[in-house]
Amino acid sequence: MNSLANETNGLGLAGTGNSGILGLSFPVEASIPDTSGTTLLENLFSPFNESNRYFAIKLGRDQDSSSFSIGELDTAFANSTADFTYTPVYPAAPSIYDYWKMPLQSLTINSTSFHLSDSRVKGSSTPIAVFDTGTTLILGPADDVDRFWDSVGGSRKTDNGWQVRCDRAMVLGFVLGAGDSAREYFVDPADLSWIEGGRQGDWCMGGVQANDDVRVARIFATPT
């Protein structure tokens, strides 16, 4: 659904050169009631057949290396939907969906398995990850994040969160999905020692930070 916003608070849109926010969540989380119309996502998908109802986002490190497509592939990254791995969205309740969520089976650091705390989502045997392009960092429970950086080494905890040495290299993988659709996805090392987030000498902001206030176990920014 498209609408004009006459006023925004605390978003800093003017300072970042942005003019708005594009929300692609499910109808149950829409701010506008369904009695007023359908959501933007439903409207965007309506012209497409079932096999083409998808969107793809690539967040680059500059304005020239990002892409957003609806019902069409960006050939710089994929040539056929046959390359897709299909995983059902984890529901908030039977047949009710709120956010783009997937089961998080495990995490690996340099190919070594890292134990995660139990799921905070009732009825789920594994932690649940939420994908949110509006979240810059990977967020998780403080206990898990503290153990993660202790395992990585070359890191320190400050009043503003975790920092890691800017030249600290690691291979971080997340095993996402369920059953036959589960597969490991790797994070660009540049997203783990995040120079863009601020630098203090040889120390950079860590790309994984603690947040115990979220309703689910983990929140992921869309990978670069």
Side-chain angles (χ1 to χ4, degrees), residues 195-215:
I195 295 177
E196 293 90 340
R199 181 169 183 163
Q200 294 180 348
D202 294 331
W203 295 92
C204 288
M205 177 182 287
V208 180
Q209 296 291 341
N211 188 333
D212 285 326
D213 296 329
V214 295
R215 291 181 294 171

PDB file of all heavy atoms in Angstrom, residues 195-215:
ATOM      1  N   ILE A 195      34.353  -1.555   9.659  1.00  0.00           N
ATOM      2  CA  ILE A 195      35.047  -0.270   9.659  1.00  0.00           C
ATOM      3  C   ILE A 195      34.062   0.884   9.548  1.00  0.00           C
ATOM      4  O   ILE A 195      34.227   1.941  10.172  1.00  0.00           O
ATOM      5  CB  ILE A 195      36.072  -0.222   8.510  1.00  0.00           C
ATOM      6  CG1 ILE A 195      37.175  -1.259   8.748  1.00  0.00           C
ATOM      7  CG2 ILE A 195      36.671   1.173   8.371  1.00  0.00           C
ATOM      8  CD1 ILE A 195      38.206  -1.335   7.639  1.00  0.00           C
ATOM      9  N   GLU A 196      32.973   0.681   8.758  1.00  0.00           N
ATOM     10  CA  GLU A 196      31.989   1.748   8.566  1.00  0.00           C
ATOM     11  C   GLU A 196      31.318   2.153   9.872  1.00  0.00           C
ATOM     12  O   GLU A 196      30.786   3.256  10.001  1.00  0.00           O
ATOM     13  CB  GLU A 196      30.920   1.304   7.563  1.00  0.00           C
ATOM     14  CG  GLU A 196      31.429   1.108   6.142  1.00  0.00           C
ATOM     15  CD  GLU A 196      31.920  -0.311   5.900  1.00  0.00           C
ATOM     16  OE1 GLU A 196      32.227  -1.001   6.898  1.00  0.00           O
ATOM     17  OE2 GLU A 196      32.004  -0.718   4.730  1.00  0.00           O
ATOM     18  N   GLY A 197      31.324   1.262  10.867  1.00  0.00           N
ATOM     19  CA  GLY A 197      30.672   1.558  12.135  1.00  0.00           C
ATOM     20  C   GLY A 197      31.516   2.386  13.079  1.00  0.00           C
ATOM     21  O   GLY A 197      31.076   2.724  14.179  1.00  0.00           O
ATOM     22  N   GLY A 198      32.728   2.715  12.667  1.00  0.00           N
ATOM     23  CA  GLY A 198      33.601   3.516  13.518  1.00  0.00           C
ATOM     24  C   GLY A 198      34.875   2.765  13.855  1.00  0.00           C
ATOM     25  O   GLY A 198      34.867   1.544  14.026  1.00  0.00           O
ATOM     26  N   ARG A 199      35.966   3.486  13.943  1.00  0.00           N
ATOM     27  CA  ARG A 199      37.266   2.866  14.190  1.00  0.00           C
ATOM     28  C   ARG A 199      38.000   3.628  15.278  1.00  0.00           C
ATOM     29  O   ARG A 199      38.009   4.861  15.290  1.00  0.00           O
ATOM     30  CB  ARG A 199      38.080   2.854  12.895  1.00  0.00           C
ATOM     31  CG  ARG A 199      39.446   2.210  13.021  1.00  0.00           C
ATOM     32  CD  ARG A 199      40.067   1.995  11.658  1.00  0.00           C
ATOM     33  NE  ARG A 199      41.354   1.309  11.762  1.00  0.00           N
ATOM     34  CZ  ARG A 199      41.964   0.716  10.750  1.00  0.00           C
ATOM     35  NH1 ARG A 199      41.401   0.729   9.542  1.00  0.00           N
ATOM     36  NH2 ARG A 199      43.127   0.116  10.920  1.00  0.00           N
ATOM     37  N   GLN A 200      38.588   2.875  16.214  1.00  0.00           N
ATOM     38  CA  GLN A 200      39.427   3.452  17.259  1.00  0.00           C
ATOM     39  C   GLN A 200      40.799   2.800  17.159  1.00  0.00           C
ATOM     40  O   GLN A 200      41.013   1.706  17.685  1.00  0.00           O
ATOM     41  CB  GLN A 200      38.814   3.213  18.641  1.00  0.00           C
ATOM     42  CG  GLN A 200      37.493   3.929  18.872  1.00  0.00           C
ATOM     43  CD  GLN A 200      36.938   3.658  20.266  1.00  0.00           C
ATOM     44  OE1 GLN A 200      37.409   2.784  20.983  1.00  0.00           O
ATOM     45  NE2 GLN A 200      35.940   4.430  20.652  1.00  0.00           N
ATOM     46  N   GLY A 201      41.707   3.456  16.456  1.00  0.00           N
ATOM     47  CA  GLY A 201      43.019   2.859  16.241  1.00  0.00           C
ATOM     48  C   GLY A 201      42.903   1.590  15.428  1.00  0.00           C
ATOM     49  O   GLY A 201      42.419   1.600  14.295  1.00  0.00           O
ATOM     50  N   ASP A 202      43.323   0.467  16.022  1.00  0.00           N
ATOM     51  CA  ASP A 202      43.256  -0.830  15.342  1.00  0.00           C
ATOM     52  C   ASP A 202      41.951  -1.568  15.607  1.00  0.00           C
ATOM     53  O   ASP A 202      41.792  -2.716  15.179  1.00  0.00           O
ATOM     54  CB  ASP A 202      44.422  -1.721  15.791  1.00  0.00           C
ATOM     55  CG  ASP A 202      45.769  -1.165  15.350  1.00  0.00           C
ATOM     56  OD1 ASP A 202      45.805  -0.482  14.309  1.00  0.00           O
ATOM     57  OD2 ASP A 202      46.773  -1.407  16.052  1.00  0.00           O
ATOM     58  N   TRP A 203      41.010  -0.925  16.309  1.00  0.00           N
ATOM     59  CA  TRP A 203      39.767  -1.587  16.701  1.00  0.00           C
ATOM     60  C   TRP A 203      38.589  -1.096  15.863  1.00  0.00           C
ATOM     61  O   TRP A 203      38.426   0.101  15.647  1.00  0.00           O
ATOM     62  CB  TRP A 203      39.467  -1.343  18.178  1.00  0.00           C
ATOM     63  CG  TRP A 203      40.484  -1.952  19.093  1.00  0.00           C
ATOM     64  CD1 TRP A 203      41.600  -1.349  19.596  1.00  0.00           C
ATOM     65  CD2 TRP A 203      40.490  -3.287  19.593  1.00  0.00           C
ATOM     66  NE1 TRP A 203      42.302  -2.221  20.389  1.00  0.00           N
ATOM     67  CE2 TRP A 203      41.642  -3.428  20.405  1.00  0.00           C
ATOM     68  CE3 TRP A 203      39.637  -4.372  19.444  1.00  0.00           C
ATOM     69  CZ2 TRP A 203      41.954  -4.613  21.061  1.00  0.00           C
ATOM     70  CZ3 TRP A 203      39.944  -5.562  20.099  1.00  0.00           C
ATOM     71  CH2 TRP A 203      41.089  -5.672  20.892  1.00  0.00           C
ATOM     72  N   CYS A 204      37.759  -2.055  15.399  1.00  0.00           N
ATOM     73  CA  CYS A 204      36.552  -1.742  14.630  1.00  0.00           C
ATOM     74  C   CYS A 204      35.323  -2.273  15.375  1.00  0.00           C
ATOM     75  O   CYS A 204      35.430  -3.161  16.226  1.00  0.00           O
ATOM     76  CB  CYS A 204      36.602  -2.401  13.248  1.00  0.00           C
ATOM     77  SG  CYS A 204      37.776  -1.650  12.097  1.00  0.00           S
ATOM     78  N   MET A 205      34.171  -1.729  15.034  1.00  0.00           N
ATOM     79  CA  MET A 205      32.932  -2.241  15.615  1.00  0.00           C
ATOM     80  C   MET A 205      32.700  -3.680  15.167  1.00  0.00           C
ATOM     81  O   MET A 205      32.865  -4.017  13.997  1.00  0.00           O
ATOM     82  CB  MET A 205      31.739  -1.381  15.193  1.00  0.00           C
ATOM     83  CG  MET A 205      30.397  -1.903  15.707  1.00  0.00           C
ATOM     84  SD  MET A 205      28.983  -0.916  15.159  1.00  0.00           S
ATOM     85  CE  MET A 205      29.220   0.539  16.185  1.00  0.00           C
ATOM     86  N   GLY A 206      32.325  -4.536  16.093  1.00  0.00           N
ATOM     87  CA  GLY A 206      32.017  -5.917  15.747  1.00  0.00           C
ATOM     88  C   GLY A 206      30.686  -6.008  15.022  1.00  0.00           C
ATOM     89  O   GLY A 206      29.723  -5.318  15.372  1.00  0.00           O
ATOM     90  N   GLY A 207      30.615  -6.861  14.022  1.00  0.00           N
ATOM     91  CA  GLY A 207      29.387  -7.003  13.246  1.00  0.00           C
ATOM     92  C   GLY A 207      28.317  -7.826  13.933  1.00  0.00           C
ATOM     93  O   GLY A 207      27.195  -7.929  13.438  1.00  0.00           O
ATOM     94  N   VAL A 208      28.647  -8.429  15.078  1.00  0.00           N
ATOM     95  CA  VAL A 208      27.684  -9.185  15.877  1.00  0.00           C
ATOM     96  C   VAL A 208      27.577  -8.497  17.230  1.00  0.00           C
ATOM     97  O   VAL A 208      28.584  -8.306  17.915  1.00  0.00           O
ATOM     98  CB  VAL A 208      28.127 -10.652  16.061  1.00  0.00           C
ATOM     99  CG1 VAL A 208      27.116 -11.421  16.900  1.00  0.00           C
ATOM    100  CG2 VAL A 208      28.324 -11.325  14.706  1.00  0.00           C
ATOM    101  N   GLN A 209      26.359  -8.101  17.610  1.00  0.00           N
ATOM    102  CA  GLN A 209      26.160  -7.365  18.853  1.00  0.00           C
ATOM    103  C   GLN A 209      25.009  -7.965  19.654  1.00  0.00           C
ATOM    104  O   GLN A 209      24.177  -8.703  19.130  1.00  0.00           O
ATOM    105  CB  GLN A 209      25.881  -5.890  18.560  1.00  0.00           C
ATOM    106  CG  GLN A 209      27.030  -5.146  17.898  1.00  0.00           C
ATOM    107  CD  GLN A 209      28.232  -4.944  18.817  1.00  0.00           C
ATOM    108  OE1 GLN A 209      28.116  -5.033  20.049  1.00  0.00           O
ATOM    109  NE2 GLN A 209      29.393  -4.675  18.229  1.00  0.00           N
ATOM    110  N   ALA A 210      24.984  -7.632  20.946  1.00  0.00           N
ATOM    111  CA  ALA A 210      23.980  -8.184  21.858  1.00  0.00           C
ATOM    112  C   ALA A 210      22.735  -7.312  21.905  1.00  0.00           C
ATOM    113  O   ALA A 210      22.815  -6.086  21.863  1.00  0.00           O
ATOM    114  CB  ALA A 210      24.572  -8.309  23.261  1.00  0.00           C
ATOM    115  N   ASN A 211      21.585  -7.974  21.981  1.00  0.00           N
ATOM    116  CA  ASN A 211      20.315  -7.279  22.183  1.00  0.00           C
ATOM    117  C   ASN A 211      19.333  -8.277  22.786  1.00  0.00           C
ATOM    118  O   ASN A 211      18.858  -9.180  22.099  1.00  0.00           O
ATOM    119  CB  ASN A 211      19.781  -6.725  20.859  1.00  0.00           C
ATOM    120  CG  ASN A 211      18.571  -5.827  21.065  1.00  0.00           C
ATOM    121  OD1 ASN A 211      17.830  -5.980  22.029  1.00  0.00           O
ATOM    122  ND2 ASN A 211      18.369  -4.897  20.157  1.00  0.00           N
ATOM    123  N   ASP A 212      19.055  -8.119  24.070  1.00  0.00           N
ATOM    124  CA  ASP A 212      18.130  -9.027  24.752  1.00  0.00           C
ATOM    125  C   ASP A 212      16.695  -8.514  24.740  1.00  0.00           C
ATOM    126  O   ASP A 212      15.815  -9.119  25.359  1.00  0.00           O
ATOM    127  CB  ASP A 212      18.567  -9.239  26.203  1.00  0.00           C
ATOM    128  CG  ASP A 212      19.770 -10.162  26.307  1.00  0.00           C
ATOM    129  OD1 ASP A 212      19.877 -11.089  25.478  1.00  0.00           O
ATOM    130  OD2 ASP A 212      20.609  -9.950  27.204  1.00  0.00           O
ATOM    131  N   ASP A 213      16.441  -7.407  24.037  1.00  0.00           N
ATOM    132  CA  ASP A 213      15.110  -6.805  24.055  1.00  0.00           C
ATOM    133  C   ASP A 213      14.228  -7.255  22.906  1.00  0.00           C
ATOM    134  O   ASP A 213      13.056  -6.895  22.852  1.00  0.00           O
ATOM    135  CB  ASP A 213      15.222  -5.274  24.009  1.00  0.00           C
ATOM    136  CG  ASP A 213      15.908  -4.728  25.249  1.00  0.00           C
ATOM    137  OD1 ASP A 213      15.759  -5.343  26.320  1.00  0.00           O
ATOM    138  OD2 ASP A 213      16.596  -3.696  25.143  1.00  0.00           O
ATOM    139  N   VAL A 214      14.783  -8.023  21.956  1.00  0.00           N
ATOM    140  CA  VAL A 214      13.983  -8.447  20.811  1.00  0.00           C
ATOM    141  C   VAL A 214      13.099  -9.614  21.200  1.00  0.00           C
ATOM    142  O   VAL A 214      13.393 -10.367  22.121  1.00  0.00           O
ATOM    143  CB  VAL A 214      14.882  -8.834  19.619  1.00  0.00           C
ATOM    144  CG1 VAL A 214      15.640  -7.624  19.122  1.00  0.00           C
ATOM    145  CG2 VAL A 214      15.842  -9.945  20.005  1.00  0.00           C
ATOM    146  N   ARG A 215      11.979  -9.775  20.460  1.00  0.00           N
ATOM    147  CA  ARG A 215      11.014 -10.815  20.791  1.00  0.00           C
ATOM    148  C   ARG A 215      11.434 -12.189  20.294  1.00  0.00           C
ATOM    149  O   ARG A 215      10.886 -13.196  20.715  1.00  0.00           O
ATOM    150  CB  ARG A 215       9.648 -10.462  20.183  1.00  0.00           C
ATOM    151  CG  ARG A 215       8.976  -9.272  20.828  1.00  0.00           C
ATOM    152  CD  ARG A 215       7.632  -9.014  20.189  1.00  0.00           C
ATOM    153  NE  ARG A 215       7.770  -8.595  18.810  1.00  0.00           N
ATOM    154  CZ  ARG A 215       6.759  -8.465  17.967  1.00  0.00           C
ATOM    155  NH1 ARG A 215       5.536  -8.760  18.365  1.00  0.00           N
ATOM    156  NH2 ARG A 215       6.957  -8.060  16.731  1.00  0.00           N
TER     157      ARG A 215
END
